[in-house]
Amino acid sequence: LEYDLMGIEEGGSDVLCVGVSMQQSRGAERVTAVGRFRSEKDRTSVVVGRRAVRSDIVGTVCQDMKEQLIRIVRKRQAENSRKAAARKRSVGNGSVLSREGHDQSSSSVNENENDSVDAKRRRIVSTEASLCTDISKAQMAISAAVADVQRAKAQIADAKIRIAEGRGELAALGAVPQDDASTSMAATDAPSGPGILYYTLCGRAGQIEINSNAPILIEELEAGLIGELPTDETAEAKATREKKVYSVDSHGTAQVWVPNGAAVRAKNKLSVLEKDAQRAHNIMALFSAEECVLSREALRFIAAFSLNGFGASDEVVEMIVAGTIKAVLHDGGFNDLTSADIAKGCPSRRTIERAEQALAADSLVVVCQRIKDDGASFGAVMVDHGNRNGQEHFVKVLIWEGRDGTPQFFCLDTDQCSHSADDCADAIKQSLKILHGVEDFKIIAITGDSGGGAGIHRLHAACINAGIMDADSKKNPCLIHNLNKAFEEACETTFGKQGIGHCTPWQMLYLFALLFKRIRQEGGSKLLEEYWGIALNHLLNDGDWQEEARTKFSQAYQQFLAMLDSLDSDVDEDIDAMAKLFERPVDIQDPVFSRWGTVALTNKAFLKHYPIIYFVAVAVKQSSKSNSYLWQIACALLALMNTRADPVEVEQRNIGDYVRSFTSDAIDDTDIQLKPGDSPTFYTMLLFVDGFHEAFFKDMFEWTKRNDPVIGPGSHGQMARLCVERLYVMHSELSALAKGWRDRPEFQPYLKAVKATPNLGAVANAGREFFEKAPACFFSKFRFIFDKQVTSHWRSDPMLYYMLSGNPELAKRFSLWLQEYYQTLTDDVLDDDDISDDDSDSDDDDVPSIFPDREIVLRHHQMSNGPVSINIQDCMLFITEEADRETILEMPFIKEHWYLIKKLGYAVDAVDLFDEDTWGSVDYSSLVNAIRSMIVIHPHQSQRIENYVQLAASISKTLVGEDRRSYRAMAHSIIMRPFNLLAVENKRATIDDKEKKKKIRRAEGSYRIATFAQFMNDFGKEADAAREKIGDAEYRRIRDTLKGDANRRSTKERKAKTLKFSTDIQKKRVVIKAEMNSRVDVTAQMGGGVLLHILTRTNNFEPHIDAECEARNIKGYRTNLTIGEKKKLLRTDELKIWAAQGKARDGIKQNDVNYIVPQSEMMKSLVPVQEEILAAKAEKASLRHKS
């Protein structure tokens, strides 16, 4: 922005400049304004201001700088005026310097002050004469110029007259004169430049060609007006036009006159403004209707983004969407819209439900189109029954091979279903019907849990009977479930059962988790953190606590001290290291065997921090109110941590009973002193379990959850092709561990604890004898369940050929093994030349030469202690021990690909089917395609589906029906899961550091929003294309089939039960004893019994208690028992009576027995006395209340 300040300063043209530069800083525009004063006179340039400001106030800043610079210029002008006056005074009255003298400084004048007066006078006179001569010359030039102008005007007038005469002659001859230059320019795009004058005359625009030496006449301006006036123009319109006032506006570097109230805008900017106006109009239109008019695409975005909070209720989604719209409209300046307008334009709950249904339909048509585009002919299903929050779900996930060779997943639904195998098979059949337009698609495999009425073995048979699958189809029990079952059975068989009514190490772990959970409930995680820190600090500094730790659990305390010793000597570093080393365990889940991995992880944290946990419980017990629930939990945990008794069942019916059994009355103050070196019983048990977990179970369990390294990310659970060879790895590792566990470092803490355990004479006393026997029992039980549920399945004939897609060396041996038997059935003889030299090195005639006695490293099986090496001969003999080759050779997969399977065996070097460089001259493409489409799609475990069970449970909390639960599950499987995987992969691709890459587990923040928005853009295009292919009518039919209960298995079951109920109600009625009238319970206050709390020694009622115990013939009663112990016997006996009468069926507990129905005469005599005691207590309470 330049402001011309000519004339402000004498002698030159000065310019003020405010320069503006813009830049992006952290996503926001920042503007730097620079004020600069430039003087043409002395060629100076001074920066007077520089400020970084927001772009929306740059105009204000420029104006401020302009005013600041003008003040500087004015100040300079005043300074120059002062200097000029000083120069005049120095040269005398009225002296005028010559042009040359004007350029001299005042210092030169001072230097000549000593000259004579005559010399000065001569110079002044000479200068004056020279100036007069110049003035005369200038006046003569002006006169000559005026004459030239007059002559030029006369020439112009004469030329116009001649032009007019010539046009008249042409008109008389009938010729049409051509437009002159100015007219032609008016009709076409006029050239820009100094030769064209654009003007406004009386409200009309015009243009004429001008010559710098010629005058412009009014007539010419009138003739140059462009366009014709309307024929019906009124005088009023003309007057209005002529009165129009104009102001100057700029367009780039040019200035133009525009009517007041108008402005000049470039066409491209005007186009932007028109688009902005149209957008604003569109937004206003969205909130001008009486209901939500958002497009299908917009509602798709709302439904998809809501999947990120699938457990949110419709009301929450409705309000979040409305709040977001309100915020955007507020900051966008749409203040004309009222809150009522916004409410009408926002989607209602009903609209949100319809959007979810449409998104599910979009997901379904996309999946159906993908299956067709992928050319998939085979599919697998993964199923699981789940009960969360009292809500049953039967989840079904479909799997097929995508066009890129990777497994694709889609949740068919999460509808309810009974647990019978036939009903579940019918539910699967019903769910598969939604695959509209998918033809020649066959379900060939199924995976699920082994237990329950719909266990995978029974369900697979039911699916075959229902026509869903062929007899040649395959089933896989969940490998994670089976491994966990073996671990659970071994733990409970050896160390006691988990659950209500048992005192075992598992209950100790549960109480540990319960204590921490209860503290968090009372004060949050910060309170638990502070408790932990206080207990740790006290343990480090309190001698009594340290002595107690050495006495009661010396081994755990020694481990604690060893951890301290491992810290560096630097104090500051030690503090940070100690905080990290003894950091409170977080994310402790309830240790339940049915929740995979929770027991082992909780056990590891418990053993690591055993001393601190112990003293946290001590501190909680000391600081909590006696008999409070937290106090009781702490006491119960301490009792188990201190126990040396055998793990036996107790009378309490659940953990709550056990906890509540710890009361201040039942616990005396005797300090039980244990011998130093004794190991707590349950601590020792947990050491063995931890050793087994570290030495074997952790690696085996972790492997089942890996991605297939060939298939890539997102393929966890799809490694059935490697499970046959993995079976041998687990078998060999388990066998070696069972024989040599005493030499393994993982079990040394256990052996140390056993040495510190005394012999108690019998295994039942849980002394050293117990712990010497425990390992054999544990390994025996684990091996039994492992062989029953894992070995038997993966060594079965239908599963053995899966190893063709596994290790290349083993695949070759399997091929040769099949060919060896095949030659007995045909003339296709396997020659010795077909077997490589290193295959014939066995000395045992009973061992086939095709199984060489050679070690190889199994790829894709690495464990925490390094690569896995196996012996080919041992492995193949174990795998094929129970196999029937004739059955295997009759399988369709083997028959169809027998030629290439034979080639695998004939190859000199082992062929890796997933590496074409190893194929040689043979094309194995058809075999690889079959493996990808029939074996890779078959899950070996069902962890993936557990997430859908949890999803359905979370959604059910919002009280939506099973159709809505299925909507979200369907969309989640095809949108959220692929998106999460893709977003993480893309984010990791931008990071070079390997460690930082590993830390990226999910997309977050603006990156997640932007990536998901783009993902939904792409998904929307795919959904619209798929919908276009099937047509709107078919799409609506598909969408409508998802709605309601008509097509759901649960509806069919409900109708069947209703029909049975209606039929059975017509049967002849048989009245049984159980439905006859029962006795009436009369409370103790009404005289139906004696309250236990009045039976005290103070009231002299102990003889009555003795009489009642004798009358009841209670086992264990003795007269020397305390009155509290006698009352406990009475309470227990009364509970048995209540149970026999059916009163205990609702879960009544022992502590709920607060009165007894007397059986002895002495106790019956207390009924009227009881009324007097209660009346006296009531009167005292009343007087106390009044006072």
Side-chain angles (χ1 to χ4, degrees):
L1 306 175
E2 294 194 353
Y3 305 95
D4 191 359
L5 305 181
M6 183 180 294
I8 291 182
E9 185 174 17
E10 181 181 0
S13 174
D14 303 312
V15 178
L16 173 150
C17 301
V18 178
V20 178
S21 67
M22 301 180 68
Q23 63 182 355
Q24 293 286 335
S25 177
R26 295 181 180 176
E29 288 185 350
R30 300 293 296 174
V31 177
T32 301
V34 181
R36 183 184 299 274
F37 170 72
R38 183 172 67 250
S39 174
E40 295 295 337
K41 177 181 177 182
D42 53 9
R43 304 297 180 184
T44 60
S45 179
V46 182
V47 176
V48 297
R50 180 185 297 271
R51 292 171 59 186
V53 298
R54 300 195 313 273
S55 59
D56 57 340
I57 63 170
V58 65
T60 303
V61 173
C62 290
Q63 184 65 27
D64 292 343
M65 288 191 172
K66 172 186 173 183
E67 294 174 358
Q68 179 184 1
L69 293 174
I70 289 176
R71 288 195 297 271
I72 294 174
V73 172
R74 295 293 187 188
K75 184 176 181 181
R76 176 177 287 196
Q77 177 188 19
E79 181 65 23
N80 290 342
S81 298
R82 186 184 61 78
K83 291 180 179 179
R87 287 197 297 270
K88 288 181 180 181
R89 288 194 297 273
S90 67
V91 299
N93 295 330
S95 297
V96 180
L97 298 177
S98 65
R99 186 174 301 275
E100 293 81 3
H102 181 72
D103 296 330
Q104 295 177 358
S105 63
S106 58
S107 61
S108 300
V109 176
N110 294 333
E111 292 174 359
N112 298 324
E113 286 180 351
N114 297 327
D115 292 349
S116 63
V117 176
D118 291 340
K120 292 181 178 180
R121 185 180 291 111
R122 283 195 297 271
R123 285 197 301 273
I124 292 172
V125 170
S126 175
T127 301
E128 184 175 352
S130 177
L131 292 174
C132 289
T133 301
D134 292 341
I135 290 173
S136 298
K137 292 179 179 180
Q139 288 176 344
M140 292 174 64
I142 292 172
S143 298
V146 171
D148 291 340
V149 171
Q150 294 298 330
R151 284 194 297 272
K153 287 184 176 181
Q155 291 174 358
I156 292 172
D158 183 61
K160 289 185 176 182
I161 291 173
R162 291 182 180 182
I163 291 173
E165 291 174 350
R167 288 187 174 184
E169 293 177 1
L170 290 173
L173 295 174
V176 180
Q178 296 296 323
D179 291 341
D180 59 16
S182 63
T183 305
S184 176
M185 291 179 187
T188 60
D189 293 334
S192 61
I196 302 298
L197 174 65
Y198 301 93
Y199 59 91
T200 302
L201 181 63
C202 296
R204 296 182 61 190
Q207 64 181 34
I208 61 173
E209 185 177 359
I210 61 173
N211 190 313
S212 58
N213 296 323
I216 300 175
L217 303 180
I218 294 297
E219 293 81 358
E220 293 179 288
L221 296 177
E222 292 177 345
L225 295 176
I226 300 173
E228 297 294 335
L229 293 173
T231 57
D232 57 348
E233 183 185 36
T234 63
E236 182 180 0
K238 179 180 179 182
T240 301
R241 185 175 66 252
E242 293 179 349
K243 292 179 182 179
K244 184 70 69 176
V245 179
Y246 296 85
S247 59
V248 177
D249 200 353
S250 298
H251 180 259
T253 59
Q255 290 183 319
V256 295
W257 292 103
V258 296
N260 285 355
V264 177
R265 291 291 183 269
K267 286 186 176 181
N268 60 335
K269 292 185 178 180
L270 181 60
S271 176
V272 172
L273 291 175
E274 289 174 345
K275 289 181 179 179
D276 290 344
Q278 184 61 47
R279 294 188 186 104
H281 173 76
N282 294 342
I283 291 177
M284 293 293 290
L286 292 175
F287 300 94
S288 301
E290 292 299 315
E291 59 182 8
C292 177
V293 292
L294 291 175
S295 66
R296 178 167 56 90
E297 293 78 10
L299 292 174
R300 179 191 289 154
F301 280 118
I302 291 176
F305 274 80
S306 298
L307 290 175
N308 288 273
F310 54 79
S313 65
D314 290 343
E315 182 178 4
V316 171
V317 175
E318 181 184 34
M319 295 306 293
I320 289 176
V321 172
T324 304
I325 292 176
K326 172 67 176 175
V328 172
L329 293 176
H330 177 272
D331 282 8
F334 293 89
N335 298 321
D336 295 338
L337 291 173
T338 65
S339 298
D341 294 332
I342 297 174
K344 293 177 182 177
C346 290
S348 64
R349 301 184 195 179
R350 175 60 181 153
T351 302
I352 292 172
E353 179 181 352
R354 288 198 298 267
E356 285 185 0
Q357 183 184 1
L359 184 62
D362 289 344
S363 302
L364 179 56
V365 296
V366 164
V367 165
C368 293
Q369 189 60 46
R370 285 182 183 177
I371 292 176
K372 290 184 283 187
D373 292 343
D374 294 339
S377 300
F378 304 108
V381 290
M382 180 166 40
V383 298
D384 186 37
H385 253 115
N387 187 313
R388 300 290 190 276
N389 305 318
Q391 182 66 58
E392 286 282 349
H393 302 97
F394 184 49
V395 185
K396 290 144 287 210
V397 173
L398 177 69
I399 310 165
W400 74 98
E401 181 202 4
R403 69 183 69 182
D404 59 352
T406 62
Q408 305 296 307
F409 306 91
F410 178 64
C411 182
L412 294 168
D413 59 58
T414 62
D415 293 349
Q416 297 172 245
C417 179
S418 70
H419 285 258
S420 73
D422 290 338
D423 288 344
C424 288
D426 188 65
I428 295 172
K429 187 175 184 178
Q430 184 71 28
S431 298
L432 290 171
K433 290 180 180 179
I434 67 174
L435 300 178
H436 301 276
V438 178
E439 300 177 353
D440 300 326
F441 186 72
K442 184 178 179 182
I443 302 300
I444 62 169
I446 187 170
T447 297
D449 289 344
S450 299
I456 190 62
H457 300 283
R458 286 183 287 271
L459 179 58
H460 179 237
C463 287
I464 294 174
N465 294 334
I468 303 171
M469 306 171 73
D470 292 340
D472 296 322
S473 59
K474 303 293 184 291
K475 63 179 180 297
N476 269 346
C478 174
L479 182 56
I480 289 183
H481 181 273
N482 287 344
L483 282 176
N484 192 73
K485 191 64 178 178
F487 181 67
E488 175 185 359
E489 291 282 347
C491 287
E492 291 190 340
T493 299
T494 307
F495 302 118
K497 289 188 175 294
Q498 182 187 41
I500 59 176
H502 303 282
C503 289
T504 61
W506 325 122
Q507 292 304 88
M508 183 168 67
L509 293 179
Y510 185 82
L511 284 171
F512 154 58
L514 182 63
L515 177 66
F516 276 37
K517 181 191 295 186
R518 189 71 180 187
I519 295 173
R520 284 198 305 270
Q521 291 174 351
E522 293 193 359
S525 296
K526 288 186 177 180
L527 179 63
L528 180 56
E529 193 75 41
E530 291 173 0
Y531 278 13
W532 182 268
I534 293 171
L536 174 59
N537 183 66
H538 203 67
L539 177 59
L540 293 172
N541 298 282
D542 187 88
D544 292 338
W545 274 20
Q546 294 169 1
E547 180 60 28
E548 183 176 357
R550 277 191 293 268
T551 302
K552 293 187 175 181
F553 41 86
S554 62
Q555 184 172 338
Y557 184 61
Q558 288 172 9
Q559 179 188 359
F560 173 81
L561 295 178
M563 293 168 67
L564 282 175
D565 293 340
S566 67
L567 299 175
D568 296 332
S569 57
D570 188 289
V571 176
D572 294 333
E573 292 184 2
D574 273 1
I575 294 175
D576 296 335
M578 182 182 297
K580 185 175 182 179
L581 188 62
F582 296 111
E583 183 179 8
R584 173 182 65 85
V586 296
D587 195 25
I588 296 298
Q589 302 181 36
D590 292 343
V592 181
F593 282 113
S594 59
R595 297 178 184 174
W596 301 335
T598 56
V599 172
L601 292 178
T602 304
N603 182 36
K604 181 161 290 295
F606 185 75
L607 293 175
K608 178 181 178 181
H609 301 293
Y610 192 93
I612 307 176
I613 294 169
Y614 178 87
F615 286 111
V616 167
V618 169
V620 168
K621 179 225 171 196
Q622 293 181 195
S623 63
S624 300
K625 184 179 179 180
S626 296
N627 297 327
S628 67
Y629 190 55
L630 194 60
W631 182 90
Q632 291 174 326
I633 295 173
C635 288
L637 177 58
L638 290 172
L640 291 177
M641 295 181 77
N642 283 320
T643 190
R644 266 69 175 169
D646 54 321
V648 296
E649 297 187 10
V650 296
E651 294 181 358
Q652 285 78 20
R653 303 180 65 250
N654 53 41
I655 190 65
D657 291 328
Y658 178 74
V659 168
R660 281 187 289 271
S661 68
F662 289 86
T663 64
S664 56
D665 294 335
I667 301 177
D668 58 31
D669 297 330
T670 303
D671 184 14
I672 301 175
Q673 295 294 330
L674 303 174
K675 294 182 295 181
D678 284 358
S679 294
T681 301
F682 298 135
Y683 173 79
T684 306
M685 295 177 181
L686 293 179
L687 285 176
F688 178 85
V689 174
D690 184 64
F692 178 78
H693 179 262
E694 291 298 312
F696 174 81
F697 194 75
K698 181 177 71 173
D699 279 330
M700 303 306 158
F701 199 75
E702 184 272 335
W703 183 89
T704 64
K705 299 188 289 184
R706 293 180 188 174
N707 289 318
D708 187 313
V710 173
I711 305 303
S715 60
H716 62 275
Q718 303 298 131
M719 290 202 297
R721 69 183 189 89
L722 300 175
C723 282
V724 176
E725 59 197 54
R726 186 65 184 185
L727 169 65
Y728 177 72
V729 174
M730 292 188 285
H731 159 75
S732 58
E733 289 290 324
L734 182 61
S735 299
L737 187 65
K739 295 177 181 178
W741 66 271
R742 292 179 179 274
D743 300 325
R744 296 289 295 269
E746 296 88 351
F747 288 93
Q748 298 312 306
Y750 171 75
L751 293 173
K752 182 179 179 180
V754 171
K755 290 180 181 179
T757 303
N759 288 309
L760 299 180
V763 173
N765 295 331
R768 184 179 297 184
E769 299 87 349
F770 172 87
F771 291 107
E772 290 292 345
K773 182 180 179 180
C777 177
F778 185 94
F779 283 113
S780 174
K781 188 64 176 181
F782 189 95
R783 168 60 79 176
F784 175 77
I785 301 298
F786 177 82
D787 286 344
K788 177 182 177 182
Q789 300 199 1
V790 180
T791 304
S792 62
H793 172 72
W794 291 105
R795 286 205 307 180
S796 64
D797 295 334
M799 307 309 301
L800 276 183
Y801 74 78
Y802 275 27
M803 68 185 303
L804 288 170
S805 56
N807 181 269
E809 190 66 45
L810 297 182
K812 176 179 180 178
R813 303 303 153 189
F814 183 74
S815 170
L816 293 173
W817 177 70
L818 288 179
Q819 291 180 61
E820 182 189 51
Y821 185 79
Y822 184 77
Q823 70 177 333
T824 65
L825 305 177
T826 67
D827 295 331
D828 186 6
V829 179
L830 182 65
D831 297 329
D832 292 339
D833 294 337
D834 294 330
I835 306 176
S836 56
D837 295 338
D838 61 351
D839 297 343
S840 305
D841 56 0
S842 175
D843 295 330
D844 189 350
D845 295 336
D846 296 332
V847 179
S849 60
I850 54 178
F851 296 162
D853 186 7
R854 178 159 54 86
E855 297 287 325
I856 62 170
V857 175
L858 278 183
R859 288 188 304 163
H860 315 319
H861 292 272
Q862 183 166 351
M863 298 193 295
S864 58
N865 59 353
V868 173
S869 297
I870 65 166
N871 181 277
I872 295 177
Q873 188 176 101
D874 293 342
C875 175
M876 293 303 298
L877 288 176
F878 170 77
I879 289 173
T880 61
E881 183 179 0
E882 301 292 336
D884 183 351
R885 281 180 281 186
E886 183 175 0
T887 301
I888 297 174
L889 288 169
E890 290 299 319
M891 292 180 180
F893 183 94
I894 301 295
K895 283 185 173 182
E896 184 175 353
H897 304 285
W898 179 240
Y899 173 77
L900 292 177
I901 292 174
K902 288 195 299 181
K903 288 292 184 180
L904 283 177
Y906 291 153
V908 176
D909 297 321
V911 174
D912 186 348
L913 292 175
F914 296 94
D915 183 2
E916 294 186 16
D917 293 338
T918 67
W919 289 6
S921 60
V922 182
D923 185 2
Y924 292 96
S925 298
S926 61
L927 178 58
V928 173
N929 292 336
I931 288 172
R932 287 185 178 274
S933 63
M934 302 179 72
I935 297 179
V936 173
I937 66 170
H938 195 181
H940 72 280
Q941 50 100 333
S942 57
Q943 184 187 25
R944 184 185 301 271
I945 207 168
E946 287 291 334
N947 297 327
Y948 288 105
V949 174
Q950 297 172 11
L951 178 146
S954 297
I955 299 173
S956 66
K957 293 180 181 179
T958 64
L959 303 181
V960 298
E962 61 180 329
D963 54 349
R964 298 283 301 282
R965 298 195 289 270
S966 290
Y967 293 165
R968 297 183 190 179
M970 294 167 69
H972 196 276
S973 65
I974 202 67
I975 293 176
M976 293 308 304
R977 285 183 174 274
F979 161 72
N980 288 330
L981 181 63
L982 178 65
V984 170
E985 286 183 352
N986 291 345
K987 187 67 175 178
R988 288 176 175 173
T990 63
I991 300 174
D992 295 329
D993 189 279
K994 292 184 179 180
E995 293 301 322
K996 290 183 179 180
K997 275 188 178 183
K998 292 180 181 179
K999 293 181 180 179
I1000 303 298
R1001 299 297 180 87
R1002 60 180 285 110
E1004 296 178 340
S1006 60
Y1007 170 77
R1008 181 179 181 84
I1009 296 172
T1011 308
F1012 187 67
Q1014 183 58 47
F1015 183 91
M1016 285 308 303
N1017 286 339
D1018 298 337
F1019 177 83
K1021 294 176 183 178
E1022 186 179 6
D1024 293 339
R1027 177 175 179 174
E1028 184 178 357
K1029 288 183 179 180
I1030 63 175
D1032 289 341
E1034 179 65 11
Y1035 174 83
R1036 286 192 294 269
R1037 189 184 71 81
I1038 293 174
R1039 182 192 61 195
D1040 293 341
T1041 58
L1042 300 177
K1043 175 64 179 173
D1045 300 331
N1047 300 310
R1048 304 195 179 279
R1049 172 66 198 179
S1050 58
T1051 301
K1052 185 176 180 179
E1053 291 182 6
R1054 185 176 65 253
K1055 289 181 178 180
K1057 290 179 179 179
T1058 302
L1059 178 61
K1060 183 177 184 300
F1061 184 83
S1062 301
T1063 303
D1064 292 347
I1065 204 172
Q1066 305 297 329
K1067 293 180 179 179
K1068 181 180 179 181
R1069 185 175 177 192
V1070 177
V1071 179
I1072 61 177
K1073 183 178 180 181
E1075 63 182 285
M1076 299 302 294
N1077 63 324
S1078 183
R1079 60 189 299 276
V1080 178
D1081 288 336
V1082 180
T1083 64
Q1085 290 83 349
M1086 293 296 296
V1090 176
L1091 292 169
L1092 289 171
H1093 73 81
I1094 72 167
L1095 301 178
T1096 63
R1097 186 174 285 107
T1098 304
N1099 292 334
N1100 295 320
F1101 290 158
E1102 187 167 7
H1104 301 74
I1105 296 175
D1106 291 332
E1108 184 68 18
C1109 290
E1110 292 174 354
R1112 291 171 178 258
N1113 195 23
I1114 295 176
K1115 185 179 180 180
Y1117 163 72
R1118 299 188 303 276
T1119 55
N1120 61 348
L1121 294 177
T1122 65
I1123 194 170
E1125 292 168 340
K1126 295 175 182 178
K1127 287 166 64 175
K1128 183 177 180 180
L1129 292 175
L1130 285 175
R1131 180 181 284 110
T1132 302
D1133 189 70
E1134 188 71 15
L1135 180 59
K1136 293 178 181 179
I1137 296 174
W1138 288 13
Q1141 295 174 349
K1143 296 180 182 180
R1145 291 175 184 172
D1146 58 351
I1148 193 170
K1149 304 176 181 63
Q1150 187 181 33
N1151 288 342
D1152 293 333
V1153 179
N1154 59 358
Y1155 74 95
I1156 62 172
V1157 177
Q1159 296 183 15
S1160 65
E1161 294 301 323
M1162 287 190 68
M1163 187 64 72
K1164 292 178 181 178
S1165 66
L1166 292 182
V1167 173
V1169 177
Q1170 175 180 252
E1171 296 180 5
E1172 298 176 0
I1173 295 174
L1174 295 177
K1177 285 186 175 182
E1179 184 177 357
K1180 288 182 179 179
S1182 177
L1183 292 174
R1184 189 163 54 251
H1185 176 69
K1186 291 179 180 179
S1187 62

